[in-house]
Amino acid sequence: MRKISLLLFLLSISCTAIAQDYQKRDSIAADTVINTRFGYKQLIIPGILVGYGLWGAESGQIKSFNFQIRNEVKESIDTKVTIDDFSRYVPAVSVYALNAFGVKGKNNMRDRSVILATSTIICVGTVFGLKSITNVERPDGTSNDSFPSGHTAIAFAGAEFLYQEYKDQSVWYGVAGYAIATGTGVFRMYNNRHWLTDVAAGAGIGILSTKAAYWLNPYLSRKLFGAKENKSTSLLMPSYDGKQFSLCYFKTF
């Protein structure tokens, strides 16, 4: 139990560090995604997370740590919970929920939906690609598609999306999103479905996917919509049940 407590403590510290790092940057309020610029410093935290996950695939010491955590978790499990099947979507859905309750985000409905779609496509494509290449066995031995954690990737992609849209309102929206995403990763380990390295890599992939979506959005918007103002509203909701990925698209004119 001490190792699990240490893990939770370290994850909480990393979540706080991310929030503090974000709070220092991008202090100027922005109305469009054009102001979300690429910066090498933005790659540091997700790069470390992905790097740790990939390193763990070759490092005997990290693999040993994975097994130690798995054994501690198995001793503590009474019944499995399925909250992680739903919590992974909470950060992204919160963006639309906040807007519905009158808390305006950074971008309009069209732009944020394009960003979310782009992020989800990049995230899911990367996750499935790595799963097919690495063939890492899950802790419970049910399959060989453990690395990286898709649930965690979707959750952290949504957390970064929530932060980017509402950081000018309050940094605590982002903190809440990252806390939920961290909890999703912890429950993936609690349910004996993923190793720590799977969760770390999934978190990094999720964050990078959303960052890439913001960097690409000005170009994609010009290609998709041109320079004309589109007054229609759209809602794009991703869904991933662990085996299949789908997108539901709603549009009003």
Side-chain angles (χ1 to χ4, degrees), residues 152-194:
T152 308
I154 288 293
F156 274 85
E160 176 68 11
F161 179 50
L162 176 62
Y163 165 73
Q164 290 291 344
E165 287 299 313
Y166 285 99
K167 62 184 177 181
D168 296 325
Q169 295 285 351
S170 172
V171 71
W172 292 106
Y173 289 118
V175 172
Y178 270 99
I180 293 171
T182 300
T184 300
V186 170
F187 274 111
R188 294 308 286 165
M189 291 186 290
Y190 177 84
N191 288 326
N192 204 27
R193 295 292 289 165
H194 283 290

Side-chain angles (χ1 to χ4, degrees), residues 76-243:
S76 305
I77 291 177
D78 294 321
T79 56
K80 292 185 178 181
V81 294
T82 58
I83 189 173
D84 46 310
D85 287 333
F86 305 98
S87 63
R88 56 181 162 166
Y89 299 125
V90 171
V93 171
S94 296
V95 173
Y96 295 95
L98 286 168
N99 188 77
F101 282 101
V103 184
K104 299 300 181 182
K106 183 177 185 178
N107 297 290
N108 59 37
M109 188 73 73
R110 184 200 70 187
D111 286 334
R112 71 176 54 163
S113 295
V114 171
I115 290 167
L116 179 59
T118 305
S119 170
T120 304
I121 290 170
I122 295 172
C123 182
V124 173
T126 303
V127 166
F128 275 102
L130 287 173
K131 282 180 180 292
S132 64
I133 293 172
T134 55
N135 293 315
V136 176
E137 186 178 19
R138 290 184 183 271
D140 59 6
T142 56
S143 62
N144 293 325
D145 59 351
S146 187
F147 183 88
S149 169
H151 283 64
T152 308
I154 288 293
F156 274 85
E160 176 68 11
F161 179 50
L162 176 62
Y163 165 73
Q164 290 291 344
E165 287 299 313
Y166 285 99
K167 62 184 177 181
D168 296 325
Q169 295 285 351
S170 172
V171 71
W172 292 106
Y173 289 118
V175 172
Y178 270 99
I180 293 171
T182 300
T184 300
V186 170
F187 274 111
R188 294 308 286 165
M189 291 186 290
Y190 177 84
N191 288 326
N192 204 27
R193 295 292 289 165
H194 283 290
W195 309 101
L196 173 61
T197 45
D198 303 335
V199 170
I205 290 169
I207 296 170
L208 281 174
S209 297
T210 297
K211 287 184 180 297
Y214 275 91
W215 297 332
L216 291 170
N217 188 261
Y219 172 78
L220 292 176
S221 293
R222 286 195 298 269
K223 290 296 183 181
L224 292 173
F225 308 109
K228 295 181 179 180
E229 178 67 21
N230 190 339
K231 296 184 179 180
S232 64
T233 59
S234 305
L235 174 61
L236 188 68
M237 294 294 295
S239 176
Y240 172 61
D241 61 7
K243 296 181 179 179

Side-chain angles (χ1 to χ4, degrees), residues 11-21:
L11 288 171
S12 299
I13 291 177
S14 64
C15 179
T16 304
I18 289 172
Q20 290 175 343
D21 176 65

